[in-house]
Every structure is written in structure tokens, then in C-alpha cells.
Amino acid sequence: MRTYTTAKDLGNLEQAVQEALSIKRNRFAFKHLGENKTCLMVFFNNSLRTRLSTQKAAMNLGMNTIVLDVNQGAWKLETERGVIMDGDKSEHLLEAIPVMGQFCDIIGVRSFARFESKKFDYEETILNQFIKYSGRPVFSMESATVHPLQAFADLITIEEYKKTKRPKVVMTWAPHPKALPQAVPNSFADFMNEADVDFVIAQPKGYELDEKFVRNAKVTYNQDEALEGADFVYAKNWSAYKDPNYGQILSKDMSWTVDTKKMALTNNAYFMHCLPVRRNMIVTDDVIESAQSLVIPEAGNREISAQVVIKRMLESL
């Protein structure tokens, strides 16, 4: 595997999940694969779970790890071609990327949507420059439009906790004070559409996601209707995708906050969220602290999802 950005990159998803569960039982079984190899993790944005889990996964596989915080320890980087570089950016990404490739075997990249240009974001300009110019296998640690390591961890978690063969999984929009990218909901939808689940998306009008991710999901604007009989509730905020409101907050409707009354509509559902979470906006204290909350084991599975991806990349070298 040379790139990892979508569910399809994993091939047979059921087999990928079983591989993940096997690795979870013995995290050091493939330590020989990474001996004398280096994983470079490049961060253009802040991170807690992604940084810790991916570095731990690479170490489990015997790799050396280098973490580069672009905005704190490197030259400011220009990303656009044709720009006269007479401002505060001293180095162009098109030189920096192949230089980075000289010092590693695999590269993970984290670069959020800027919301300055929908075209720039949805063409995955920065991530694709790494894929094109680094000469190394590249995986997304969350990019402008996708977060496949998170979505894979979510699927692993659902597999571990499901009580029926084909559970009902609801992804519901919830309010947030800031404009957030569509990356997490896009990838969650991508993975759920490929998995054997009954998948429903609930959102206010104006928050429709890109159809290439929504695909066959049932979409409703009625949150209560969506939650009825749900086995898993995945709460997440995202900003508007459609023009002319791309990247904007259209509503902070607190009636969409997931609380005990909402969860009572479900089939004693598990609550999920990628973290970090704005308590009492996305979800109330009592729900996220309940016995049905999976946010901690879900975060723990980030190590496992990253390890499957890095293992497969090492096997392709």
C-alpha cells in the first residue's frame, strides 16, 4: 500500500478489521518489519490522539520516528506555485517535501482545511504534493477533507462492541462555536458505507456533505427520527460544504446537542465521538460520562488503525 486516504485503500474491509483485532492482541508481532526504518510525521496543525497513537504504532513496529511541527520548528512554507516569495515564507513545499523524503521511509501528513478556497481544500493540494514529490508511501493523519485513521478506528470500535450483526449507526450533526472541517464526517461516512451497517446521517438543512462520501446513506433532517432504534450514535459538528456557504457556521441550534433524552430514543446505544469534544454543546456531561460512552476505547483504537496502515506500507517497501 503506497497511499492511505480512503476505506478502499484497505481493500477488503472485513479482513482489515480482523487484521486490526489480531494486531491488538499482539502489538509487537511485526516489530521486525520496521527495524532500521523511519516514519516521519509532519504536522501543519495541532494534534493529541493522532500524534501519540501514530508514533506509538510506528514504535510497535520497530520503527524510528521523527515528528516535525511545521509551524513551530521549521521555516514557514509556501504551498502555491507561481507565487513571488517576497513575504514571510522562506521555503517552498515543493523543495521541502523531497528533502523530507531523504530522511524517512514512510510519511504521515496532517493538514486541515483552510476554508480560503474550496477548490484548494477538496483537491487535497498539500497532501497530494507529498504523494507526488516525496518518493515515499504517504498516509493521511487528517487532511483537508478526510481523516481515515479515525474512521478506521471507529469501525474497529463498532466491531468490538456491536450486539447485532448489522447495527444501526447514526452520525448526527451537533452544535459547535467554531467552523470545523468536514474531514471526520466525510471519512466516517466513507467507512460506514463500505461496512455492513445500517447507516443514517442526521443534520440540519444546509449541512449536506459531499455526495461522494454520503453515497447510499439515509439522510434526514429530523434528529429524533434518526436516533430511534440506533445502536451507535456518532456525534460530530461540521461546517457547511455547499457553496456559497462553504466553511461557514449556519446554525448553533442547541436542540441538536446529544443528551439523555436523545439517547433514550435509541436501542440503548453506545455514544461515540472522535475527540476533542465541546461538552454541553456536542454532548452533555452525563452522556459522555455514561457506561455507554466509547470515546476512550475509541481513542485507544487509533493506535491499532495506524498500526495496520503502517504495517501494510512497510510490507510494500
Side-chain angles (χ1 to χ4, degrees), residues 100-305:
M100 293 179 203
Q102 299 295 303
F103 306 123
C104 64
D105 300 278
I106 292 171
I107 301 178
V109 182
R110 183 174 179 90
S111 179
F112 293 172
R114 297 178 175 180
F115 292 147
E116 296 170 0
S117 163
K118 182 176 178 179
K119 181 176 183 291
F120 183 91
D121 289 343
Y122 269 76
E123 287 182 354
E124 287 290 4
T125 306
I126 292 177
L127 180 64
N128 281 325
Q129 285 179 342
F130 274 88
I131 292 170
K132 185 174 181 179
Y133 297 113
S134 70
R136 303 294 183 218
V138 174
F139 62 96
S140 170
M141 299 192 300
E142 186 172 1
S143 56
T145 69
V146 293
H147 197 350
L149 290 177
Q150 179 64 53
F152 188 19
D154 297 334
L155 180 59
I156 295 166
T157 307
I158 290 170
E159 180 65 25
E160 288 181 309
Y161 285 88
K162 70 181 184 182
K163 297 175 181 176
T164 60
K165 179 174 173 54
R166 193 169 191 271
K168 180 178 179 181
V169 179
V170 177
M171 180 173 71
T172 177
W173 179 94
H176 195 282
K178 295 173 61 180
L180 297 185
Q182 300 93 33
V184 170
N186 282 347
S187 281
F188 189 75
D190 177 38
F191 271 72
M192 291 304 106
N193 275 305
E194 296 299 317
D196 188 17
V197 302
D198 177 13
F199 181 47
V200 181
I201 302 173
Q203 72 212 6
K205 289 191 176 180
Y207 282 100
E208 296 81 5
L209 294 166
D210 187 341
E211 283 296 326
K212 75 177 182 182
F213 297 107
V214 175
R215 300 202 291 275
N216 298 320
K218 178 184 177 183
V219 178
T220 177
Y221 302 107
N222 186 322
Q223 187 187 41
D224 289 355
E225 176 188 90
L227 293 174
E228 289 178 6
D231 298 296
F232 294 88
V233 175
Y234 197 100
K236 185 70 182 79
N237 175 267
W238 59 90
S239 61
Y241 162 72
K242 291 190 173 180
D243 294 327
N245 299 313
Y246 175 66
Q248 295 181 17
I249 297 173
L250 305 181
S251 166
K252 295 181 185 177
D253 186 350
M254 295 294 286
S255 70
W256 282 75
T257 300
V258 178
D259 56 18
T260 52
K261 193 173 178 181
K262 299 283 187 182
M263 293 299 287
L265 299 170
T266 72
N267 182 28
N268 194 28
Y270 288 107
F271 175 80
M272 301 179 70
H273 188 277
C274 62
L275 300 183
V277 66
R278 298 281 184 137
R279 284 182 176 228
N280 302 306
M281 287 206 74
I282 299 285
V283 59
T284 56
D285 290 330
D286 46 4
V287 171
I288 197 170
E289 294 174 7
S290 74
Q292 294 301 102
S293 174
L294 296 181
V295 295
I296 303 305
E298 180 185 358
N301 278 331
R302 289 293 309 278
E303 175 186 346
I304 307 305
S305 65

Side-chain angles (χ1 to χ4, degrees), residues 30-40 54-66 104-107 139 310-311 314 317:
F30 299 96
K31 197 169 184 179
H32 61 282
L33 289 175
E35 186 178 4
N36 298 326
K37 303 254 184 338
T38 299
C39 179
L40 172 62
T54 309
Q55 188 165 3
K56 179 64 164 60
M59 292 166 65
N60 290 349
L61 291 163
M63 300 190 77
N64 302 309
T65 58
I66 300 174
C104 64
D105 300 278
I106 292 171
I107 301 178
F139 62 96
I310 296 171
K311 170 183 172 287
L314 286 170
L317 293 177

